[in-house]
Amino acid sequence: MKLQNIISLTLLLFVNVFYAQNSFTSIETSDGIHYITPNIDYPITGTYFFEGGEPIVELNANGTGIYQLHEQPKKEMVWGIECDENGTPKFIKGFESIAYTLWYQCTTNSESDTFEGWKKVPFSIHLNTLKMYIQGERVKSFSESSDK
């Protein structure tokens, strides 16, 4: 009986870890259905700053965060990195960089909202400088010892 409980618990933990690493969501955009995930093999969560200050982008591990446009207030959002229908992130590997597509949608509405629906922006990881960029201008540093 103990062995059966241990096997069941081990299997349950394995399935939970596998599912958490491969969780993804389908989204409908102006150009069709896409799939997104907040999980890739790099520590992408955190705050990305423009020249050390605002505007910022904040990515939380659960796929929520904040997106701030230039001279605009911070807005809550949901986000994800584009992946295929199996949850594998799509990317282009360069010599010292990796390029992804970040999709986001603001969840706070106001009368002055100029952007509704899902938007995509470039997200890149630069391995030689250990920096990550959103839109090529919001930056966050990471270390090689960070969990991949």
Side-chain angles (χ1 to χ4, degrees), residues 30-134:
S30 60
D31 64 348
I33 301 292
H34 294 268
Y35 301 94
I36 59 172
T37 180
N39 303 314
I40 64 172
D41 288 337
Y42 289 90
I44 64 174
T45 58
T47 304
Y48 294 73
F49 296 95
F50 175 77
E51 297 179 357
E54 292 186 355
I56 66 158
V57 174
E58 183 177 297
L59 304 180
N60 299 323
N62 64 355
T64 65
I66 296 171
Y67 208 100
Q68 183 181 23
L69 297 174
H70 288 274
E71 300 179 12
Q72 296 291 318
K74 297 173 183 168
K75 297 191 179 200
E76 293 178 8
M77 62 141 178
V78 291
W79 67 273
I81 298 293
E82 186 155 10
C83 63
D84 66 18
E85 59 276 353
N86 296 315
T88 303
K90 293 182 176 181
F91 61 90
I92 298 172
K93 179 100 167 98
F95 177 67
E96 286 289 331
S97 65
I98 307 168
Y100 296 88
T101 299
L102 173 78
W103 286 92
Y104 73 94
Q105 181 180 46
C106 290
T107 57
T108 47
N109 293 322
S110 71
E111 291 179 17
S112 64
D113 264 346
T114 57
F115 54 103
E116 293 181 7
W118 287 96
K119 303 290 182 194
K120 67 179 178 177
V121 294
F123 179 90
S124 59
I125 300 173
H126 298 260
L127 303 171
N128 56 341
T129 60
L130 299 177
K131 294 186 184 223
M132 299 180 191
Y133 291 88
I134 295 175

Side-chain angles (χ1 to χ4, degrees), residues 13-25 36-42 61 81 83-84 86-89 147-148:
L13 288 173
F14 176 75
V15 168
N16 283 340
V17 168
F18 181 77
Y19 177 75
Q21 289 177 346
N22 293 311
S23 63
F24 62 94
T25 304
I36 59 172
T37 180
N39 303 314
I40 64 172
D41 288 337
Y42 289 90
I81 298 293
C83 63
D84 66 18
N86 296 315
T88 303
D147 291 332
K148 282 191 173 182

